[in-house]
Amino acid sequence: MPVYCFETNDGQVVERVFPIGKAPRVVDIDGKPARRSFRAESKSLPATSGWPLECVASGVNAKQRKELSDYLKKKGVPTDVTKDGNPVYRDKRHRDKALKARGFFDKNAYA
């Protein structure tokens, strides 16, 4: 079910879950009316959130972690690798360069 945002007159934004097409225009938040906020619903996370990112999908076996770290350093993309073998990307640019160095690409290309 989708998440809908509602905003009170004093600017408090809350999220509520409703079936598609069933979200009311106004909900009660602690005794205050809150109107549906399309502005709040259309905001996305800034590209800087969520970093650094430990990537399990592009990880290797724990025994290969040093090999991966050395390989990426040799390719000009020094990258920390966790004890489990997962690379830790500092930001999107670093992630893109590290994946490219390994011949990988992200079909979703999220921020």
Side-chain angles (χ1 to χ4, degrees), residues 56-85:
V56 177
S58 63
V60 295
N61 186 290
K63 294 177 183 176
Q64 297 174 302
R65 71 187 203 100
K66 176 141 176 47
E67 183 181 338
L68 175 60
S69 179
D70 292 345
Y71 177 81
L72 288 171
K73 186 176 182 179
K74 184 177 173 182
K75 289 289 193 171
V77 191
T79 305
D80 293 330
V81 180
T82 67
K83 64 179 177 144
D84 296 326

Side-chain angles (χ1 to χ4, degrees), residues 4-83:
Y4 297 93
C5 295
F6 296 87
E7 187 172 0
T8 62
N9 288 338
D10 61 359
Q12 178 186 4
V13 177
V14 296
E15 297 176 339
R16 295 289 187 262
V17 177
F18 292 98
I20 293 175
K22 301 293 183 183
R25 291 180 184 230
V26 179
V27 296
D28 181 60
I29 306 299
D30 298 328
K32 296 182 268 182
R35 298 196 180 285
R36 181 144 175 222
S37 175
F38 293 98
R39 179 181 56 83
E41 289 176 8
S42 66
K43 289 205 175 189
S44 62
L45 295 174
T48 56
S49 67
W51 303 102
L53 172 76
E54 179 182 343
C55 185
V56 177
S58 63
V60 295
N61 186 290
K63 294 177 183 176
Q64 297 174 302
R65 71 187 203 100
K66 176 141 176 47
E67 183 181 338
L68 175 60
S69 179
D70 292 345
Y71 177 81
L72 288 171
K73 186 176 182 179
K74 184 177 173 182
K75 289 289 193 171
V77 191
T79 305
D80 293 330
V81 180
T82 67
K83 64 179 177 144

